[in-house]
Amino acid sequence: MESTEILQEIAAQVKICEKCQLSFSRKNAVPGTGPADTDVLLIGEGPGFYENEQGLPFVGSSGKFLDELLNKAGLDREKVFITNVVKCRPPGNRDPQPEELAACEDYLDRQIAAINPRVIVTLGRFSMAKFMSNVKISEIHGQPRWVKGRYIVPMYHPAAALHQPKLRSVVESDFAKLPEWLEKAKNAQPEEEVIPEETNDSSDSDDNAVQMSLF
Ligand code: URA
Ligand code: SF4
């Protein structure tokens, strides 16, 4: 099957999914949008109020800010795939719970496999935690590293910047470096990519961090 068709099939399954309790309170599940043949996947946390109303990702105030950030990086949302770690809105925008993240993970994994993006931008700590363990977003935002052959770029969530004005310039300067990282990721040799995945051993993850900074 073509990757576009696979994404359509995943979206159809998400729309009617009842694998976790978020299915009871959602209005519309939000599978994600974008082309299958993109180099860049952005992963947020979960749908908010407007996303739940419309069934589309990042259409509220965070989405407006995300569009600005993408535009400043020379990208627009039609060129990237945008989704979330949970596809249904957590009531009152609470944090997604571990069992909801676990129930929904297979959809995201299949989207990643179908898109096969070179670069994944994680927005906020829940999507970052999918790729890196034992890290703090305040310490590693804006410091990409290779995980399983993909360049993972941890960013603060745009909503965090909207709620904490001090973070706004931080998010803006991290996003401003995105074109440079895309270029680097596209030109990287395969052997550069083969860097051990983050482990729970802290000395090991420090080594990884040092290797990463060489890029
Ligand atoms: N915040 C998210 O994490 N995802 C969205 O889709 C919208 C807001
Ligand atoms: Fe299904 Fe994910 Fe929605 Fe839960 S959040 S009902 S697992 S699509």
Side-chain angles (χ1 to χ4, degrees):
M1 234 192 315
E2 291 290 321
S3 48
T4 304
E5 284 174 68
I6 296 171
L7 291 174
Q8 284 167 353
E9 185 176 280
I10 297 166
Q13 291 167 352
V14 164
K15 287 278 177 194
I16 57 165
C17 177
E18 295 182 348
K19 286 203 288 179
C20 84
Q21 60 186 354
L22 295 180
S23 62
F24 300 121
S25 49
R26 76 171 176 231
K27 185 166 180 180
N28 290 295
V30 182
T33 53
D37 63 347
T38 180
D39 286 326
V40 187
L41 170 64
L42 288 101
I43 310 175
E45 186 173 317
F49 177 84
Y50 292 100
E51 292 78 19
N52 181 51
E53 291 297 311
Q54 297 180 38
L56 297 169
F58 283 97
V59 287
S61 50
S62 306
K64 201 161 165 274
F65 185 40
L66 181 62
D67 283 336
E68 279 176 37
L69 292 165
L70 286 171
N71 290 345
K72 281 191 199 142
L75 289 164
D76 68 77
R77 80 153 63 201
E78 280 69 44
K79 300 256 164 64
V80 299
F81 199 94
I82 305 179
T83 190
N84 287 300
V85 283
V86 291
K87 314 301 192 197
C88 301
R89 183 190 186 210
N93 298 347
R94 65 158 170 74
D95 288 348
Q97 294 174 2
E99 59 273 24
E100 296 159 357
L101 290 161
C104 213
E105 192 167 27
D106 180 59
Y107 296 122
L108 180 56
D109 288 340
R110 288 159 60 206
Q111 288 173 319
I112 294 171
I115 298 163
N116 194 20
R118 193 79 157 158
V119 174
I120 295 179
V121 178
T122 60
L123 302 170
R125 62 202 163 91
F126 289 98
S127 57
M128 178 183 75
K130 178 170 171 57
F131 302 97
M132 302 169 188
S133 46
N134 296 330
V135 290
K136 283 197 190 136
I137 195 159
S138 58
E139 289 167 6
I140 65 145
H141 68 88
Q143 294 174 40
R145 60 177 74 172
W146 290 100
V147 179
K148 292 188 188 171
R150 305 189 200 285
Y151 208 39
I152 310 295
V153 182
M155 301 277 203
Y156 277 110
H157 195 288
L162 292 178
H163 293 136
Q164 301 170 66
K166 275 188 294 183
L167 286 184
R168 195 181 170 106
S169 59
V170 176
V171 173
E172 286 174 343
S173 65
D174 284 350
F175 259 85
K177 292 180 214 132
L178 194 51
E180 187 190 318
W181 292 325
L182 294 184
E183 212 42 44
K184 204 174 265 187
K186 279 191 227 169
N187 296 330
Q189 297 306 308
E191 56 269 29
E192 286 182 80
E193 301 175 23
V194 187
I195 277 158
E197 204 184 340
E198 192 75 11
T199 67
N200 291 330
D201 180 313
S202 63
S203 59
D204 199 39
S205 48
D206 285 350
D207 287 351
N208 284 355
V210 171
Q211 271 182 286
M212 284 317 117
S213 64
L214 300 176
F215 289 96

